[in-house]
């Protein structure tokens, strides 16, 4: 069964035929420059949740220090645990209804939906003047990431993307090490994940799928709201609850998901910005789901005092074999299936999926004995990503560890790689014009979810 696109476009697009426009008009939100609410020391934030199961359930569990003001979920099966734990919290199926009815009772909202709904849900929160936390990747397309970052900045709201590694001490420690020159000149980065392929273990979803089976929509699921406007005939049990990530229409694949974790220490420490080239080698390519295995090579231009950097991403595919010393270090920090290596002239830094675990080796396999450089960047209190967001809302800190201004650039970099996976050959990315010169399909994918 191939997906139906027309009704979803109406739901998310310009006409908003399903009525979404009534909920996201700018008049609902605060204007740029509106004074931020000041909270008393013992006052809890009133937080709403769009998505209460899965990552949304994790958010609820991590946010018990604030007040649960409203729950919204289109799948009662996923939300069941938190509905039982907190029976008195108002419940909604439609986030637009939640914002309309609870708007004056909400200070902030956490968005934990499938990727394709990040942008419309987050923009509705911004228009309603709510501080917003969005899971990674920030959005489904590059254009959406830029627009959302601009909207949050204009509204003067506090934002955070859910790449928790940004709040770990190792995240800033790695940057301090790189900027102190302890690795020497860096020109090569290698990243890998086994997530989408059972061949390497650790698979959480399937890729390389050409069709899905049909089936009735479960009574607990509002498919039209989950999909963004499609009728029930487009439903497949192959999509829910988490397998949607491998399909172009709903997710951004492993690079959009795991890339926002694994790429990030190199992205931050080397200030990579956006790539100018990307080339993907894939096991198979189709118009329906991400390839089961792929290798993406991205080129980043010289910046500041560093030269150009080549970053290689392995997805569901055996990566290159490193020296025995590096392989042993990877095994010790648990980075066999998900990890990163930054190759400098003098040393190599290897990191697990999250930067809480990393190690440094001599470039030629020897030990690395240099002392840690001085602390330059602030650490996040308790390394708590959600509390980092709420502390910024309260004005205790000036900015979060992953504000949309930064998250949009990281998301854009990952999505350039995603576009390369979807088209043939090498692409060149013109970030100023937001286009892939000479590749009409790739340029369209920068702003549209449908090829």
């Amino acid at each position: 069964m191939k997906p139906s696109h027309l009704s979803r476009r109406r739901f998310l697009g310009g006409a908003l035929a399903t009525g979404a426009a009534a909920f996201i008009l700018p008049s609902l939100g605060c204007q740029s420059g509106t004074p931020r609410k000041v909270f008393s020391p013992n006052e809890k934030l009133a937080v709403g949740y769009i998505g209460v199961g899965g990552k949304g359930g994790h958010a609820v569990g991590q946010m018990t220090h604030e007040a649960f003001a409203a729950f919204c979920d289109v799948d009662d099966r996923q939300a069941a645990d938190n509905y039982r734990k907190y029976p008195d919290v108002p419940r909604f199926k439609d986030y637009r209804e939640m914002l309309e009815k609870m708007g004056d009772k909400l200070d902030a909202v956490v968005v934990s939906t499938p990727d394709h709904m990040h942008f419309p849900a987050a923009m509705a929160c911004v228009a309603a003047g709510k501080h917003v936390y969005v899971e990674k990747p920030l959005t489904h397309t590059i254009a959406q990431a830029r627009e959302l970052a601009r909207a949050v900045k204009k509204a003067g709201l506090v934002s955070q993307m859910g790449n928790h590694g940004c709040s770990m001490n190792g995240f800033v420690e790695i940057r301090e090490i790189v900027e102190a020159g302890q690795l020497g000149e860096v020109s090569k980065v290698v990243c890998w994940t086994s997530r989408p392929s059972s061949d390497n273990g650790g698979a959480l979803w399937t890729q390389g799928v050409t069709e899905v089976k049909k089936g009735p929509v479960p009574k607990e699921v509002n498919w039209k709201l989950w999909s963004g406007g499609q009728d029930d005939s487009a439903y497949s049990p192959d999509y829910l609850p988490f397998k949607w990530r491998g399909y172009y229409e709903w997710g951004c694949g492993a690079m959009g998901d795991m890339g926002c974790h694994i790429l990030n220490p190199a992205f931050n420490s080397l200030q990579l910005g956006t790539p100018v080239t990307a080339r993907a080698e894939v096991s198979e390519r189709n118009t329906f789901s991400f390839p089961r295995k792929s290798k993406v090579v991205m080129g980043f231009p010289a910046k500041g005092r560093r030269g150009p950097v080549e970053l290689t991403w392995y997805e569901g595919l055996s990566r290159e074999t490193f020296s025995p010393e590096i392989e042993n270090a990877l095994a010790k920090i648990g980075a066999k299936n998900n990890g990163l290596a930054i190759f400098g002239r003098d040393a190599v830094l290897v990191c697990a999926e999250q930067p809480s675990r990393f190690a440094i080796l001599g470039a030629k396999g020897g030990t690395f004995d240099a002392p840690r450089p001085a602390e330059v960047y602030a650490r996040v209190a308790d390394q708590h990503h959600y509390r980092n967001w709420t502390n910024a809302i309260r004005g205790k800190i000036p900015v979060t560890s992953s504000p949309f201004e930064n998250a949009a650039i990281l998301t854009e970099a990952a999505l350039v790689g995603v576009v390369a996976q979807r088209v043939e050959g090498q692409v060149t990315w013109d970030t100023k014009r937001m286009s892939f010169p000479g590749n009409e399909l790739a340029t369209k994918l920068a702003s549209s979810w449908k090829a």
Side-chain angles (χ1 to χ4, degrees):
M1 179 185 70
K2 303 296 184 183
S4 168
H5 303 286
L6 181 59
S7 57
R8 180 162 177 262
R9 179 176 295 174
R10 287 175 178 163
F11 187 92
L12 301 179
L16 293 168
T18 61
F23 296 89
I24 62 173
L25 289 174
S27 59
L28 285 181
C30 60
Q31 299 298 314
S32 178
T34 300
R36 186 180 299 173
K37 177 180 176 181
V38 177
F39 296 90
S40 62
N42 298 320
E43 183 181 3
K44 291 187 176 182
L45 301 178
V47 183
Y49 297 80
I50 302 174
V52 188
K55 289 300 292 184
H58 178 264
V60 171
Q62 292 291 308
M63 290 281 286
T64 55
H65 57 289
E66 307 296 355
F68 299 133
F71 288 160
C72 178
D73 206 300
V74 299
D75 188 341
D76 289 341
R77 301 169 303 177
Q78 290 291 96
D81 285 349
N82 278 316
Y83 283 173
R84 282 193 295 268
K85 287 180 184 178
Y86 307 103
D88 297 330
V89 177
R91 303 176 190 173
F92 299 88
K93 289 279 192 182
D94 192 325
Y95 67 84
R96 299 164 300 171
E97 182 183 4
M98 182 187 81
L99 291 171
E100 182 185 44
K101 292 185 176 180
M102 302 292 294
D104 60 346
K105 299 179 179 66
L106 297 174
D107 298 313
V109 179
V110 177
V111 178
S112 303
T113 68
D115 299 349
H116 71 287
M117 292 302 294
H118 284 184
F119 177 75
M123 285 294 284
C125 294
V126 173
K130 309 305 172 189
H131 304 293
V132 63
Y133 180 113
V134 177
E135 269 305 328
K136 44 75 190 150
L138 187 60
T139 57
H140 204 193
T141 72
I142 293 170
Q144 289 174 345
R146 293 186 178 192
E147 185 174 350
L148 181 56
R150 285 194 298 265
V152 163
K153 183 176 182 179
K154 182 177 180 181
L157 298 169
V158 177
S159 61
Q160 181 87 304
M161 185 169 78
N163 49 341
H164 291 245
C166 291
S167 290
M168 296 177 180
N169 290 345
F171 185 66
V172 292
E173 289 172 3
I174 291 172
R175 182 171 181 178
E176 289 165 351
I177 289 166
V178 172
E179 291 187 347
Q182 292 192 340
L183 304 187
E185 184 179 0
V186 174
S187 59
K188 176 183 176 181
V189 176
V190 180
C191 308
W192 59 91
T193 181
S194 63
R195 281 291 173 88
S197 172
S198 58
D199 291 2
N200 288 349
L204 295 180
W205 64 88
T206 304
Q207 297 184 183
V209 179
T210 56
E211 62 180 2
V212 293
K213 60 180 177 285
K214 294 182 179 180
V217 179
K219 60 180 174 44
E220 300 91 348
V221 176
N222 188 315
W223 168 253
K224 193 165 191 175
L225 292 176
W226 187 98
S227 65
Q230 294 192 9
D231 59 42
D232 287 356
S233 65
Y235 171 80
S236 169
D238 290 345
Y239 295 145
L240 277 65
F242 186 66
K243 294 171 285 186
W244 51 265
R245 191 173 295 284
Y247 299 94
Y248 294 143
E249 189 160 17
W250 319 120
C252 295
M255 194 162 194
D257 175 47
M258 296 301 293
C260 287
H261 289 316
I262 297 171
L263 298 174
N264 206 16
F267 185 89
N268 179 59
S269 61
L270 295 166
Q271 293 293 286
L272 290 178
T274 53
V276 292
T277 60
R279 182 183 73 256
E281 302 169 11
V282 304
S283 56
E284 65 282 308
R285 183 178 280 108
N286 64 62
T287 59
F288 194 56
S289 75
F290 286 90
R292 192 164 61 93
K293 299 179 180 181
S294 67
K295 173 184 176 182
V296 180
V297 181
M298 298 195 292
F300 294 83
K303 184 177 182 180
R305 291 182 295 176
R306 69 157 173 80
V309 174
E310 181 180 87
L311 184 149
T312 304
W313 167 266
Y314 292 92
E315 178 177 311
L317 182 70
S318 297
R319 57 166 169 77
E320 59 191 271
T321 301
F322 302 132
S323 69
E325 292 84 1
I326 293 177
E327 294 293 343
N328 288 337
L330 291 173
K332 288 180 180 179
I333 64 173
K336 282 288 189 179
N337 289 332
N338 301 281
L340 144 105
I342 302 175
F343 291 87
R345 180 190 62 246
D346 304 321
V348 179
L349 187 146
V350 293
C351 182
E353 175 184 330
Q354 297 289 8
S356 57
R357 303 191 306 275
F358 69 90
I360 310 174
L361 302 87
K364 296 182 179 180
T367 58
F368 182 83
D369 298 322
R372 287 285 174 85
E375 291 188 7
V376 175
Y377 299 105
R379 274 56 174 166
V380 171
D382 302 321
Q383 302 183 82
H384 197 296
H385 202 55
Y386 295 99
R387 197 181 293 273
N388 178 251
W389 176 53
T390 57
N391 280 343
I393 293 173
R394 285 191 167 86
K396 292 182 177 181
I397 55 175
V399 67
T400 62
S401 62
S402 187
F404 289 179
E405 183 176 2
N406 294 345
I409 301 172
L410 173 61
T411 296
E412 178 173 329
L415 293 185
V416 168
V418 168
V419 169
Q421 290 176 319
R422 296 190 61 177
V423 302
E424 297 284 350
Q426 179 164 310
V427 294
T428 300
W429 175 235
D430 186 335
T431 187
K432 291 183 179 179
R433 294 179 173 82
M434 207 177 77
S435 70
F436 293 89
N439 196 315
E440 183 177 347
L441 172 57
T443 296
K444 184 176 182 181
L445 292 172
S447 58
S448 172
W449 57 273
K450 180 183 176 184

